Amino acid sequence: MASAVVVWEWLNEHGRWRPYSPAVSHHIEAVVRAGPRAGGSVVLGQVDSRLAPYIIDLQSMNQFRQDTGTLRPVRRHYYDPSSAPGKGVVWEWENDNGSWTPYDMEVGITIQHAYEKQHPWIDLTSIGFSYVIDFSTMGQINRQTQRQRRVRRRLDLIYPMVTGTLPKTQSWPASPGTATSPPAPPCSCPQCVLVMSVKAAVVNGSHGPLQPTATRKNVPPSGMVKLPPPPGPGAKPLDSTGTIRGPVKTAPSQTIRRQASGTPAGATAGSPASPPGANSKTGRVALATLNRTNLQRLAIAQSRVLIASGVPTVPVKNLNGSSPVNPALAGITGILMSAAGLPVCLTRPPKLVLHPPPVSKSEIKSIPGVSNTSRKTTKKQARKGKTPEEVLKKYLQKVRHPPEEDCTICMERLTAPSGYKGPQPTVKPDLVGKLSRCGHIYHIYCLVAMYNNGNKDGSLQCPTCKTIYGVKTGTQPPGKMEYHLIPHSLPGHPDCKTIRIIYSIPPGIQGPEHPNPGKSFSARGFPRHCYLPDSEKGRKVLKLLLVAWDRRLIFAIGTSSTTGESDTVIWNEVHHKTEFGSNLTGHGYPDANYLDNVLAELAAQGISEDSTAQEKD
């Protein structure tokens, strides 16, 4: 009998399947196994408050974000029970914000397999990622840039297990037999009450009238919903017939339970009940057929019910405007978001503004204080005439009596010979040196091997603290960088014009310094337009970007984190703003910290204000 662990995953905008946490996967799986009686929708906010805006529709296998209307595919994927998800092992990397992000499940399983085999490291190139995971330092190393990030291994819940014949499809319900199971008692949380209410209204409109357990009476003509008056200050609660009683203290949870069990889906609060099976000729209005006015009234009615139960709500705006948001979607979203206690304001969806308005040639100006308006770069030849040992000699001091510490390159004791097993450098393996500026100590043998595996440009970067010795250069392929002023302002910078940078790099053949020499590389998305404010700090950033361009540090050739394509031109750890008039992708304005952040990224590449003077020399 086959067995597997089930991991529920969603498809992100880069085409990668990202795993839900074990707790969320258990929650989804429980709804799947309950079959149609569970309603066919999974409210993720019930198990993780951070996912409150999200609902999974099991019929279409889509994740729906209620505040934006975004749909993403989801899947129910199976993995070996002996792999990482079957043991509750999660591998994560530290992002720029200092928080931890789990690897894709495929990557995490690969890392865990190598970890269990007690390998010292694992190269992820075979699965499409240009990274090496070093288990001795618990670090992730970018093979192109040598940038390191911390990684960690932590234990979590084991993902849900299934046995028997695994289904070939991801459809719902999981098995036909579950449809005849007795209905489970409805969840009494406000969010589920409203979800089921809306779902019942849609079902009634799509499949004809259902026989409700209780039907409404005295419904106004044309399907309008009779709304109860809004509860004002000191208002007394209504009983099941709408009569105001004395001062009765009712807990919100009791109110919701009474609504869930005694009020039919779609009925107004306080409507009288009829015997089960009663045939009412009153029209039952489907949500899909409601006009804007009736839909807005339904949303208001549901909000008032929630207010009475103590759930915070906010108004849903723009239902009567010209918004392209479908009115039914807007109404459902408002109801569900109010039920979750989240702020709601549905307006016209913001537009992605990548480029400025058209600019004529006469309006394009050169940038004061910056010479020329473009520059090209070609491959710079590595410095000749010096061996790696001669290069490193400038940066090292010999250590005659090494401390009882590990060399963080080969992880052998400094008092013992180097443990490096690659091509043999010409120096003795037991020699030890200290870097002159930062003071970190290594086997000279290991430093020479590291230099030989790099760009061999006469520079060295300390693998521990990243201090750069010499002038660091990169492997950016040949191209052109243009820069000029345009007469438009960026969001957040209304008092200055804009510096536009245009990068152009054609496809070509990789050189000896690239990952796959002799193989062709692609160059997607060029020319790439980037933007800086024409302020004092913006011009400073531009001047340093020009230095980075000349040193071939803006781009590299590797694997795209967006598309997964290998042997293509990628950004090289220096972030650029590619949105002119919006910030929907995080690559636009306003961004108060961007200029400081990019200055720090350039400094990490060895580029500062002193670098501009060096370039002139």
Side-chain angles (χ1 to χ4, degrees):
M1 181 175 291
S3 63
V5 286
V6 177
V7 178
W8 281 84
E9 299 168 321
W10 56 278
L11 188 67
N12 70 9
E13 63 272 21
H14 305 313
R16 303 290 306 178
W17 287 101
R18 303 287 296 134
Y20 290 104
S21 69
V24 172
S25 287
H26 274 280
H27 179 60
I28 301 171
E29 195 66 13
V31 176
V32 170
R33 293 174 182 177
R37 73 175 187 270
S41 294
V42 186
V43 182
L44 300 186
Q46 289 182 327
V47 67
D48 187 339
S49 59
R50 296 170 298 178
L51 303 181
Y54 297 98
I55 289 177
I56 290 179
D57 178 60
L58 295 173
Q59 295 286 357
S60 62
M61 292 294 282
N62 278 309
Q63 170 191 278
F64 170 58
R65 178 164 179 157
Q66 302 168 61
D67 52 345
T68 64
T70 304
L71 287 174
R72 295 191 186 279
V74 299
R75 72 178 184 180
R76 183 182 189 230
H77 208 62
Y78 304 101
Y79 294 95
D80 191 316
S82 64
S83 63
K87 297 177 179 179
V89 174
V90 179
W91 283 89
E92 299 173 320
W93 55 275
E94 187 179 32
N95 59 34
D96 293 337
N97 300 324
S99 56
W100 294 91
T101 302
Y103 284 97
D104 296 354
M105 193 56 66
E106 174 193 6
V107 179
I109 289 173
T110 302
I111 296 173
Q112 176 63 17
H113 181 72
Y115 180 85
E116 291 175 348
K117 296 289 186 181
Q118 298 185 337
H119 294 169
W121 49 268
I122 174 68
D123 189 340
L124 302 179
T125 305
S126 61
I127 57 174
F129 295 92
S130 186
Y131 295 103
V132 172
I133 306 299
D134 186 339
F135 295 121
S136 61
T137 62
M138 290 301 280
Q140 170 191 280
I141 305 167
N142 187 315
R143 290 172 55 89
Q144 305 301 321
T145 66
Q146 299 302 307
R147 179 177 179 179
Q148 294 192 23
R149 294 181 185 272
R150 290 195 299 163
V151 301
R152 72 178 184 182
R153 175 184 181 268
R154 66 176 180 85
L155 294 179
D156 204 327
L157 292 173
I158 296 174
Y159 278 88
M161 185 82 67
V162 293
T163 57
T165 304
L166 301 181
K168 296 181 180 179
T169 63
Q170 299 164 346
S171 59
W172 179 89
S175 62
T178 58
T180 58
S181 303
C187 177
S188 61
C189 79
Q191 196 167 1
C192 279
V193 171
L194 270 299
V195 170
M196 298 307 295
S197 173
V198 171
K199 183 173 287 293
V202 174
V203 169
N204 291 342
S206 304
H207 305 290
L210 298 179
Q211 295 296 331
T213 57
T215 54
R216 295 174 295 167
K217 292 183 179 180
N218 302 323
V219 178
S222 74
M224 290 187 178
V225 180
K226 185 177 180 180
L227 304 179
K236 298 176 181 179
L238 301 177
D239 67 5
S240 60
T241 62
T243 305
I244 299 179
R245 301 295 186 187
V248 178
K249 294 183 180 180
T250 306
S253 60
Q254 294 173 336
T255 306
I256 293 297
R257 280 194 293 270
R258 184 162 60 247
Q259 293 164 1
S261 59
T263 306
T268 58
S271 60
S274 299
N279 184 14
S280 171
K281 295 182 180 180
T282 306
R284 180 173 291 275
V285 181
L287 195 64
T289 62
L290 288 178
N291 58 31
R292 289 174 183 260
T293 302
N294 290 340
L295 183 68
Q296 191 171 19
R297 289 180 176 177
L298 174 60
I300 294 171
Q302 297 282 23
S303 295
R304 286 174 176 165
V305 171
L306 291 167
I307 292 171
S309 66
V311 178
T313 60
V314 291
V316 179
K317 300 180 180 179
N318 207 28
L319 287 182
N320 290 324
S322 58
S323 168
V325 178
N326 183 283
L329 173 60
I332 295 172
T333 302
I335 294 167
L336 296 178
M337 290 296 291
S338 294
L342 298 173
V344 177
C345 179
L346 292 180
T347 57
R348 182 180 296 276
K351 292 182 179 180
L352 182 68
V353 182
L354 291 177
H355 303 293
V359 178
S360 65
K361 289 186 177 180
S362 61
E363 293 178 304
I364 295 175
K365 305 294 182 182
S366 60
I367 303 167
V370 181
S371 60
N372 303 318
T373 57
S374 68
R375 63 180 65 183
K376 295 181 180 180
T377 183
T378 57
K379 178 186 174 185
K380 289 186 177 180
Q381 298 296 324
R383 299 181 183 181
K384 297 181 179 180
K386 290 188 177 181
T387 65
E389 292 81 357
E390 291 174 326
V391 171
L392 297 184
K393 186 177 180 180
K394 298 185 300 181
Y395 311 133
L396 286 172
Q397 301 170 356
K398 286 188 178 180
V399 178
R400 298 187 181 277
H401 304 288
E404 286 289 339
E405 299 175 0
D406 289 343
C407 169
T408 56
I409 298 177
C410 68
M411 300 311 295
E412 294 290 343
R413 304 297 282 182
L414 290 168
T415 52
S418 168
Y420 178 70
K421 304 300 182 184
Q424 302 298 314
T426 58
V427 298
K428 295 179 180 180
D430 57 350
L431 291 180
V432 174
K434 179 173 73 172
L435 291 171
S436 58
R437 284 166 53 197
C438 65
H440 288 111
I441 304 175
Y442 306 94
H443 291 115
I444 298 178
Y445 193 86
C446 294
L447 287 173
V448 171
M450 185 181 75
Y451 181 85
N452 284 329
N453 289 329
N455 203 23
K456 301 178 186 176
D457 59 357
S459 71
L460 179 72
Q461 188 166 15
C462 174
T464 299
C465 67
K466 307 305 178 188
T467 298
I468 296 174
Y469 295 81
V471 177
K472 179 181 178 181
T473 61
T475 60
Q476 174 181 293
K480 182 179 181 181
M481 176 182 179
E482 302 173 75
Y483 42 94
H484 48 249
L485 283 181
I486 57 174
H488 299 291
S489 298
L490 293 164
H493 299 274
D495 300 327
C496 60
K497 296 179 182 179
T498 296
I499 298 170
R500 179 167 62 184
I501 304 171
I502 304 176
Y503 294 111
S504 300
I505 294 181
I509 304 298
Q510 298 181 52
E513 74 275 27
H514 293 136
N516 296 296
K519 185 177 180 181
S520 62
F521 67 87
S522 62
R524 312 291 184 194
F526 288 95
R528 298 187 185 182
H529 291 230
C530 308
Y531 304 94
L532 291 168
D534 183 34
S535 60
E536 181 180 354
K537 188 175 286 187
R539 292 183 188 181
K540 176 182 176 181
V541 169
L542 173 65
K543 291 176 182 179
L544 297 184
L545 287 175
L546 289 170
V547 175
W549 174 264
D550 289 339
R551 295 183 183 178
R552 303 172 69 204
L553 292 169
I554 300 292
F555 296 97
I557 295 176
T559 300
S560 169
S561 61
T562 304
T563 65
E565 181 183 10
S566 58
D567 299 304
T568 190
V569 178
I570 59 175
W571 292 107
N572 185 36
E573 307 291 344
V574 179
H575 287 83
H576 286 64
K577 293 295 188 181
T578 54
E579 282 185 70
F580 174 81
S582 59
N583 197 16
L584 298 185
T585 66
H587 302 303
Y589 295 91
D591 185 341
N593 299 319
Y594 168 66
L595 295 178
D596 290 327
N597 290 342
V598 75
L599 286 172
E601 291 173 343
L602 287 164
Q605 300 283 358
I607 299 174
S608 61
E609 289 186 87
D610 296 337
S611 304
T612 56
Q614 292 176 9
E615 293 296 307
K616 291 178 182 178
D617 296 340

